[in-house]
Amino acid sequence: MCQFQKLYNDENGYVVRCNKCSYYQVLFAGTMLSINREEFEKFQLQISNQKQQDDPVDQQVKNMVLPTTRPGVHLVLSPGELNQLKQMMEYAETEIKTLALLDLFREYR
């Protein structure tokens, strides 16, 4: 059974990682992905490569199709939601790096 470690959590979604099997769960816009580290990194890259729209009128229109690492699974997001997802994933990645650094210090005790 998975033991999840919270990497990010707010009203829009969450990112957690299992301490046993190293799988990630990403929940956003009503879609939950269970992915491994490699897929997590690819998903982050896909998010960061999406073009942002500068027109503030269209910030709430769901007109952006974001492929996931799963065949046939896409997220349909507004530019505002894409920005939220991007911030969520960046925060989770920062948390992953911080936890890895803390683990290094624990090993040297």
Side-chain angles (χ1 to χ4, degrees):
M1 183 164 195
C2 286
Q3 293 179 348
F4 289 111
Q5 178 180 35
K6 180 177 68 170
L7 302 172
Y8 182 86
N9 185 31
D10 73 3
E11 67 276 357
N12 297 313
Y14 65 78
V15 180
V16 295
R17 174 181 60 186
C18 176
N19 290 325
K20 287 187 174 183
C21 64
S22 297
Y23 264 72
Y24 294 78
Q25 276 189 0
V26 178
L27 173 73
F28 188 80
T31 301
M32 185 176 66
L33 300 172
S34 293
I35 52 182
N36 62 30
R37 178 65 185 171
E38 182 181 338
E39 293 168 327
F40 184 82
E41 290 172 358
K42 286 180 183 177
F43 188 53
Q44 281 185 300
L45 187 59
Q46 288 172 323
I47 293 167
S48 64
N49 287 338
Q50 285 288 318
K51 301 277 188 208
Q52 288 285 11
Q53 293 182 353
D54 295 327
D55 185 1
V57 174
D58 291 335
Q59 288 296 306
Q60 300 306 316
V61 177
K62 292 183 181 261
N63 58 1
M64 305 185 80
V65 178
L66 177 67
T68 68
T69 57
R70 299 290 184 218
V73 178
H74 297 75
L75 295 175
V76 181
L77 305 172
S78 69
E81 289 173 326
L82 177 62
N83 189 42
Q84 289 174 344
L85 178 59
K86 186 181 288 190
Q87 289 176 357
M88 184 174 99
M89 295 294 284
E90 287 172 357
Y91 186 95
E93 183 61 32
T94 300
E95 188 70 12
I96 291 165
K97 290 175 183 175
T98 301
L99 291 170
L101 283 172
L102 290 172
D103 284 342
L104 286 175
F105 286 112
R106 284 188 200 112
E107 290 176 13
Y108 289 114
R109 285 188 184 186

